């Protein structure tokens, strides 16, 4: 099992945080364009799903799977969006992302007075805690070597 | 276990077939006094609830009828709905709310939207050789998609608990090649209007729903 990347977007589409672990295919697009594309896709999926849905729903879009990866999504009521790409074999990560928000983001970003809420997070403490939090999970375990791009 | 609908999208993103198998009816009728406890707004789908969820009436629901008379393009008997509900002397009013139904234009739009989402998901893949979206999950439904080698997409919207959707997609491809492509009156990439095809799709969906397998 592999974890590919984690992106955090604010409600206006700015990328607050991005981290890539194992990524074999580099995108043909420049970074900035790719982030915009990702946010645009998430935004469209949300609107697509709300129109397509036969009944009313609570959480909306949770994840999608392709033949090579699975993209998990969690949105807080304040509009913060967590986009998490993993291997297809990873199950439901909703609870993991929810805790990532409450235990890591709130603790080390919101409670840090030196970090603005709408600017990219450059705190190494957050970086560290995030990695620590995710490595506790089984799907992260065999990911021993971190690839530095 | 339910299958809600089936879409067939051609390689250009056009909707060539659509079938609604099961449509859950979500309607709520309630008598209101003045002033209305809901915030309403006129939107493209109709008069939409934008704030104030209560008694099963949810944000996004539209007004279907007032005092039993159906709303047509924002009007009842030629009088705009917004005017009726803003006047105190019209109350009490019995208003029926429901989820807006998809118009055929909207279905065409959603199909092409999915077509581009499918393409974007390939672009964003962290691994090379990825297909597009095969399964899209939400808390109330799951969308399954199979793209054939010729670029036609079969999309099935079902309940989260439905099993056998993969075989259903394969079987739909069979039905498509047998009853749409072999039809001499069918022109490629165009909407499928063939009774045989309709019947077989219906039978296949029904079988999957009952037995969990399309074969």
């Amino acid at each position: 099992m592999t974890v590919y990347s984690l992106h955090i977007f604010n409600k206006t589409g700015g990328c607050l945080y991005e981290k890539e672990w194992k990524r074999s295919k580099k995108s043909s697009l420049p970074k900035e364009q790719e982030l915009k594309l990702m946010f645009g896709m998430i935004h469209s999926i949300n609107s697509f799903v709300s129109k397509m849905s036969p009944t009313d729903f609570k959480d909306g879009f949770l994840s999608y799977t392709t033949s090579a990866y699975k993209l998990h999504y969690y949105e807080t009521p304040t509009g913060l969006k967590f986009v998490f790409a993993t291997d297809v074999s990873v199950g439901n990560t909703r609870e993991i992302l929810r805790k990532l928000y409450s235990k890591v983001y709130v603790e080390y970003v919101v409670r840090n007075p030196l970090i603005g809420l709408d600017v990219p997070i450059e705190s190494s403490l957050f970086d560290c805690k995030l990695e620590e939090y995710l490595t506790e999970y089984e799907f992260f375990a065999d990911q021993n070597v971190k690839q530095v791009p | 276990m339910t299958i809600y609908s089936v879409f067939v999208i051609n390689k250009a993103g056009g909707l060539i077939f659509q079938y609604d198998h099961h449509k859950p009816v979500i309607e709520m009728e309630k008598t209101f006094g003045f002033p209305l406890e809901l915030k309403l707004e006129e939107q493209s789908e109709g008069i939409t609830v934008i704030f104030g969820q209560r008694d099963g009436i949810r944000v996004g629901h539209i007004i279907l009828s007032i005092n039993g008379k159906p709303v047509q393009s924002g009007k009842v008997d030629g009088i705009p709905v917004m005017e009726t509900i803003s006047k105190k002397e019209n109350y009490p009013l019995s208003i029926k709310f429901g989820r807006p139904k998809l118009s055929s234009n909207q279905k065409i739009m959603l199909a092409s939207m999915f077509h581009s989402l499918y393409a974007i998901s390939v672009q964003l893949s962290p691994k090379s050789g990825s297909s597009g979206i095969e399964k899209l999950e939400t808390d109330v439904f799951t969308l399954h998609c199979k793209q054939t080698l010729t670029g036609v997409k079969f999309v099935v919207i079902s309940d989260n608990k439905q099993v056998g959707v993969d075989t259903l997609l394969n079987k739909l491809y069979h039905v498509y090649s047998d009853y749409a492509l072999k039809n001499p009156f069918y022109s490629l990439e165009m909407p499928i209007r063939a009774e045989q095809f309709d019947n077989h799709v219906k039978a296949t969906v029904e079988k999957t729903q009952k037995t969990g397998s399309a074969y």
Side-chain angles (χ1 to χ4, degrees), chain A residues 48-75:
Chain A
F48 173 78
V49 153
S50 72
K51 287 207 182 83
M52 204 57 138
S53 172
T55 53
D56 300 312
F57 51 56
K58 217 169 72 227
D59 303 326
F61 172 49
L62 299 177
S63 72
Y64 76 66
T65 314
T66 77
S67 65
Y69 73 107
K70 183 169 178 181
L71 192 119
H72 310 257
Y73 175 71
Y74 171 67
E75 184 173 344

Side-chain angles (χ1 to χ4, degrees), chain A residues 86-105:
Chain A
T86 66
D87 207 83
V88 281
S89 52
V90 177
N92 191 350
T93 58
R94 192 171 177 75
E95 208 40 42
I96 296 171
L97 290 178
R98 205 186 61 75
K99 277 203 186 127
L100 177 74
Y101 168 64
S102 63
K103 297 257 160 60
V104 186
Y105 181 81

